[in-house]
Amino acid sequence: MKELRRFKQKMDKKEIVEILDRNTHGILSVYGLEGYPYPIPLSYVRVDQTLYFHCAKSGHKIDAILKNPKVSFCVVDDDTIVPEKFTTYFKSVIVYGSASIVNDEDERRKAFDVLANKYSKDVAEHLKNEEIRKAGPAALIVRIDIEHMSGKKAIEYV
């Protein structure tokens, strides 16, 4: 991967991981079927060097991933507009990797559990399990095996 041009603004891996873990959504970009980039906002969870998300079993996103599994995923952590300085203070992360549908039932269940715990942490465990049991069969779990991560922050944060 190409190195960040403004290397002083580069984040270390620890800060990148913290941003991925604390945020709740990002933009998945796939190679669209018509040759255009296709960005999709979605919820996700990180487990080690893998991102997981769930989605419908069919549609443009899945068709694109099956055709070309190379994807990128962007998370914006901060976007503070500073009008008097004509700038924005920002922090963002981009992940590059390969996406695939999870077919292993144990991995699917673990991914559903981690997603449910991230987004419904205060909901009783039996209710989360019931929702996964009911809705799980109609959904796919997609994994992104992270191949490269980069993060950049405004020079004011350096």
Side-chain angles (χ1 to χ4, degrees), residues 96-136:
Y96 298 91
S98 185
S100 60
I101 296 168
V102 175
N103 292 311
D104 178 78
E105 276 307 312
D106 287 339
E107 185 179 6
R108 273 177 53 81
R109 178 58 199 222
K110 287 177 187 171
F112 273 124
D113 287 342
V114 176
L115 283 160
N117 288 330
K118 179 175 182 176
Y119 293 96
S120 302
K121 65 181 175 186
D122 296 329
V123 174
E125 203 64 32
H126 75 280
L127 295 174
K128 288 188 264 189
N129 289 333
E130 180 62 18
E131 182 62 22
I132 292 169
R133 187 190 65 72
K134 286 189 320 192

Side-chain angles (χ1 to χ4, degrees), residues 16-71:
I16 290 169
V17 167
E18 287 170 355
I19 287 171
L20 288 173
D21 289 349
R22 94 170 136 252
N23 282 277
T24 59
H25 69 282
I27 306 295
L28 175 71
S29 292
V30 299
Y31 185 80
L33 301 178
E34 296 81 24
Y36 290 98
Y38 179 54
I40 311 112
L42 51 83
S43 301
Y44 69 97
V45 67
R46 184 192 67 83
V47 178
D48 299 322
Q49 283 294 109
T50 304
L51 298 180
Y52 289 101
F53 64 89
H54 76 292
C55 63
K57 289 186 173 183
S58 63
H60 190 165
K61 170 177 54 234
I62 293 302
D63 292 345
I65 287 170
L66 291 173
K67 185 173 181 180
N68 184 344
K70 290 184 177 184
V71 300

